[in-house]
Amino acid sequence: MTALLESYASGRWFRAQADGEPLLDAATGEEVARMSSQGLDLSAMVEHAKRVGGPAIRELTFHERAALIKELAKHLSAHKGGLYELSFRTGATQRDSLVDIDGGVGTLFSFASKGVRELPNDTVVLDGGLERLGREGTFLGQHLYTSRPGVAVQINAFNFPVWGMLEKLAPAFLAGLPSIVKPASQGAYLAEAVVRQIIESGILPEGSLQLLCGSPRGLLDVLDEQDSVAFTGSAHTAGILRSHPNVQHGGVRLGVEADSLNCSILGPDVRAGDPEFDLFVKGVVTEMTVKAGQKCTAIRRTIVPESIADSVVDAISARLAKVTVGNPADETVRMGALASLDQRQEVRKAIESLRNSAEIVFGDPDDVQLVDADADRGAFLSPVLLRARAGAVEPHDVEPFGPVSTVLTYRTTAEATELAARGKGSLVGSLVTHEADVARQVVLGVAPWHGRILVLDRDDAAESTGHGSPLPMLVHGGPGRAGGGEELGGVRGVLHHMQRTAVQASPDMLTAITGRWTTGSRRVVDEVHPFRKSLAELRIGDTVESATRQVTLADIDHFAEFTGDTFYAHTDPEAAAENPLFGGIVAHGYLVVSLAAGLFVEPNPGPVLANFGVDHLRFLTPVKAGDTIAVKLTVKQITPRTNAEYGEVRWDAVVTNQDNDPVATYDVLTLVAKR
């Protein structure tokens, strides 16, 4: 008997006592492994995640978590060879495995990068600016995100055993949550191999990741209001999860990515021979054949102008005729097998339903020419293209989860938009057009029904990642039929796992809670200029209160001549006097900022290495010749950089005039040596 897959639970590998269900090679029908979770203590897994994994992750800052994700990505990238051999057994070709395995590792790298660049080196994320709740500014509101003391349960689909797991793991880990991963049966042996590599590497804290190979029955029973479930799979299973008492009444958060009848629309401006025509045809064929069409983002509905439908069908058919089907390990094969014989039967049933209102124009669901493969043992299927008749209903209701797409025709752009909307919500739609007006009309029309929209033409084609590629920095999910969930989206995917809370307090209390200086908080002025302090010596609230400086007409004239900024408000007294905002000559805003820098800077060599930016600059009160300005510069946020001898310091700058009115406000960004 073949090996029984093991679960990783409560700090050890667990092998069930039962024989388990057989998992078959999608291409040969041979038994690859068996799987069972009989005897596994699911309650103990959840307890281990919350008692061991969660606290260990939440001790780390976002930057420290990101560093571990990056280290993990490097480790998996260096040990992926054996994963490709296993991936062939799922029916995936070399190209398919690249999308799954390398795509998953690439997602880890992306989240590691975003964790450092877009999240603070802290455990709290601020959401938006301060809300002033009282007249005197002593009572403020601030939204913030904190980590939840729960566990993220991830129930994944069979089509992407690696990417589907890693794209959920990375944002959950960054958010401070441990994960329990439940892979689909087919391909679970590949997911188990990846988890073994992760556990053996010792990179992630114990309890961060657990693996459940087998039935998850009873798992939702032991979850509570701090826990979440991310599910990718069928709408039927999603409905069962939604009806669970702990989801309906117990506060368990459920995110769903389910069925999706994605479409690609060919714009009415495109003609045969245009670059966009070829791009469209190539895109449809790619989405039909990559992973044998077993992608939640694949193009199920091909929507084209009625006037060139025949040309589109001929072009797609000609390209499909060149697709070789068979043994996924064979380098000449472009499309491998479906996940299982049962899956093939499901796709055949879907094709029969589609034939109620469409005819097959390419392919035969019951016959396919194979390379180095047996049609009786392997789950192979020919690519099948259908053409719908007028008024067809089934293409908008039936999802054939395989290498199948249906061509539908339209006469007007409004009709194309209406056809797209009949999918009742999709993960992704694409529009191929070179006409800007068409792009605006269609995108705004279909956006409410889609989580992502690709607009493709000759200008972006060279860099486009294609219709069916979810990207870690963009939202993956969709409304309605697609489940209503959201994953990825960069930092959005991290914050999705966290709790947003509105905190009301005094400025000093908010500074203490958030770790950032808050307007109205105490400033600390001492005899040592803050620019003379290293990162280790600086404290939130350290402040420079500058001397004053009078801005003269000579300063304004010199700045105008030196920079070439001779805008009339700075150089023409009569025209400036007629300006209702100024009523006379005023100083350049950037002159004011430059003079302010001269007021707060400490010129001698020291810990401050560089000024690398200014954020949120606003000019509030015009400065006229003869006005006097001063500046207060306060340490707002301190962010040590990992693996560097310096860190970032964000300073709050407020420039005021002789009446103490704010003239300009902004954040100054500097790099400061740690010692």
Side-chain angles (χ1 to χ4, degrees):
M1 188 174 68
T2 52
L4 185 68
L5 297 184
E6 295 182 329
S7 298
Y8 186 73
S10 303
R12 65 184 182 87
W13 288 99
F14 170 86
R15 181 187 294 268
Q17 298 303 312
D19 291 339
E21 64 171 304
L23 308 179
L24 306 183
D25 187 308
T28 67
E30 298 173 353
E31 189 171 301
V32 180
R34 286 179 171 259
M35 185 172 73
S36 173
S37 60
Q38 184 174 322
L40 185 60
D41 189 339
L42 301 181
S43 179
M45 291 181 73
V46 173
E47 178 66 18
H48 185 72
K50 295 183 178 183
R51 181 177 53 83
V52 178
I57 301 172
R58 291 190 291 275
E59 283 184 0
L60 307 172
T61 68
F62 293 112
H63 287 196
E64 290 168 334
R65 297 170 200 168
L68 294 183
I69 292 175
K70 183 176 182 179
E71 186 179 352
L72 179 60
K74 290 180 177 179
H75 177 81
L76 293 177
S77 185
H79 297 84
K80 64 186 179 184
L83 301 179
Y84 271 81
E85 293 301 316
L86 275 179
S87 185
F88 287 138
R89 312 205 73 172
T90 70
T93 64
Q94 183 84 5
R95 179 181 64 164
D96 297 335
S97 299
L98 179 73
V99 175
D100 186 27
I101 297 169
D102 290 73
V105 173
T107 298
L108 291 181
F109 276 120
S110 179
F111 271 96
S113 175
K114 283 190 166 292
V116 171
R117 289 187 290 108
E118 299 181 29
L119 291 171
N121 196 6
D122 199 345
T123 58
V124 176
V125 182
L126 302 191
D127 177 40
L130 287 168
E131 297 290 343
R132 188 163 174 156
L133 306 177
R135 181 176 299 177
E136 302 301 323
T138 62
F139 186 46
L140 303 173
Q142 173 70 63
H143 291 89
L144 54 82
Y145 285 97
T146 56
S147 297
R148 293 185 285 114
V151 59
V153 174
Q154 297 152 15
I155 304 176
N156 295 320
F158 64 78
N159 51 346
F160 289 101
V162 181
W163 176 85
M165 173 172 60
L166 298 182
E167 65 94 5
K168 290 181 173 68
L169 173 65
F173 184 83
L174 267 180
L177 282 174
S179 294
I180 296 176
V181 173
K182 163 62 181 79
S185 297
Q186 184 59 26
Y189 42 85
L190 180 54
E192 190 222 42
V194 175
V195 172
R196 283 191 180 276
Q197 288 192 11
I198 295 174
I199 299 303
E200 290 170 4
S201 74
I203 294 171
L204 301 185
E206 171 54 41
S208 301
L209 173 61
Q210 297 180 83
L211 176 69
L212 168 55
C213 284
S215 171
R217 187 179 302 278
L219 181 55
L220 266 67
D221 296 339
V222 294
L223 301 182
D224 63 30
E225 63 279 353
Q226 288 296 328
D227 303 322
S228 61
V229 177
F231 169 77
T232 301
S234 71
H236 173 73
T237 303
I240 295 174
L241 295 175
R242 284 192 173 104
S243 65
H244 192 281
N246 277 354
V247 173
Q248 288 191 326
H249 311 295
V252 173
R253 306 183 188 194
L254 175 64
V256 171
E257 180 202 314
D259 304 347
S260 184
L261 289 167
N262 313 293
C263 70
S264 185
I265 302 173
L266 182 63
D269 56 299
V270 180
R271 300 290 179 266
D274 289 348
E276 285 73 25
F277 185 91
D278 295 334
L279 290 170
F280 181 82
V281 170
K282 181 180 178 181
V284 171
V285 172
T286 296
E287 293 306 316
M288 289 179 67
T289 56
V290 170
K291 293 289 286 187
Q294 298 171 117
K295 294 172 60 182
C296 55
T297 54
I299 297 171
R300 308 298 180 197
R301 299 176 299 152
T302 302
I303 302 175
V304 303
E306 187 179 80
S307 59
I308 60 169
D310 291 342
S311 298
V312 172
V313 168
D314 290 345
I316 293 175
S317 298
R319 198 172 186 98
L320 287 174
K322 299 177 182 179
V323 174
T324 50
V325 182
N327 180 356
D330 190 307
E331 293 183 355
T332 67
V333 168
R334 285 195 56 200
M335 193 177 91
L338 297 177
S340 65
L341 293 174
D342 288 343
Q343 180 61 24
R344 182 175 67 179
Q345 187 59 29
E346 288 298 315
V347 176
R348 284 174 171 168
K349 288 180 180 178
I351 293 172
E352 284 305 304
S353 294
L354 291 170
R355 293 180 71 177
N356 289 330
S357 59
E359 62 177 340
I360 294 176
V361 292
F362 181 87
D364 185 342
D366 299 314
D367 185 36
V368 58
Q369 298 298 311
L370 299 177
V371 175
D372 188 26
D374 185 340
D376 293 327
R377 294 178 59 83
F380 298 99
L381 184 72
S382 165
V384 174
L385 183 69
L386 300 98
R387 182 168 179 174
R389 294 185 287 274
V393 173
E394 284 81 4
H396 307 294
D397 291 333
V398 177
E399 182 186 17
F401 204 73
V404 183
S405 189
T406 302
V407 176
L408 300 106
T409 62
Y410 71 89
R411 295 181 180 179
T412 66
T413 305
E415 185 181 357
T417 301
E418 189 273 335
L419 287 173
R422 288 181 65 185
K424 301 181 181 69
S426 301
L427 295 170
V428 57
S430 58
L431 168 66
V432 183
T433 180
H434 196 53
E435 177 57 55
D437 289 342
V438 171
R440 176 177 171 82
Q441 182 179 353
V442 174
V443 168
L444 296 186
V446 303
W449 306 94
H450 291 79
R452 175 170 60 89
I453 300 172
L454 165 68
V455 180
L456 184 65
D457 70 355
R458 67 195 72 177
D459 294 336
D460 64 356
E463 292 188 337
S464 172
T465 51
H467 168 103
S469 299
L471 298 174
M473 62 287 295
L474 299 180
V475 165
H476 179 56
R481 187 199 300 271
E486 276 195 7
E487 296 176 349
L488 300 178
V491 170
R492 296 175 186 84
V494 178
L495 301 181
H496 175 74
H497 288 285
M498 304 180 74
Q499 177 62 48
R500 180 167 55 189
T501 303
V503 178
Q504 298 167 279
S506 69
D508 285 333
M509 286 299 184
L510 283 179
T511 293
I513 292 166
T514 64
R516 284 195 184 191
W517 186 82
T518 304
T519 300
S521 291
R522 295 184 183 91
R523 304 176 192 264
V524 178
V525 180
D526 57 32
E527 64 276 7
V528 180
H529 193 290
F531 279 25
R532 306 303 305 167
K533 297 180 180 181
S534 68
L535 205 70
E537 297 168 318
L538 278 173
R539 296 293 180 266
I540 299 295
D542 281 356
T543 298
V544 178
E545 292 186 344
S546 78
T548 59
R549 159 79 185 253
Q550 188 178 54
V551 181
T552 66
L553 185 59
D555 293 330
I556 299 172
D557 290 341
H558 172 70
F559 194 83
E561 180 181 0
F562 182 70
T563 64
D565 181 356
T566 56
F567 183 64
Y568 75 87
H570 313 306
T571 57
D572 186 335
E574 292 183 2
E578 295 180 2
N579 186 310
L581 297 179
F582 303 137
I585 293 290
V586 295
H588 307 70
Y590 298 109
L591 169 59
V592 173
V593 171
S594 298
L595 294 176
L599 289 171
F600 66 65
V601 75
E602 210 288 333
N604 298 306
V608 176
L609 306 176
N611 177 331
F612 71 96
V614 171
D615 279 351
H616 314 305
L617 174 60
R618 293 291 183 271
F619 300 118
L620 304 175
T621 304
V623 174
K624 298 184 177 181
D627 283 358
T628 300
I629 63 170
V631 61
K632 290 181 180 178
L633 190 74
T634 303
V635 175
K636 187 173 186 177
Q637 184 180 14
I638 301 173
T639 304
R641 283 194 178 179
T642 306
N643 301 322
E645 294 304 313
Y646 56 85
E648 302 171 12
V649 178
R650 180 179 291 269
W651 308 76
D652 179 84
V654 180
V655 184
T656 54
N657 62 16
Q658 66 278 358
D659 299 320
N660 205 34
D661 295 326
V663 167
T665 60
Y666 51 99
D667 288 357
V668 177
L669 310 177
T670 63
L671 299 178
V672 179
K674 290 181 177 178
R675 300 288 177 187

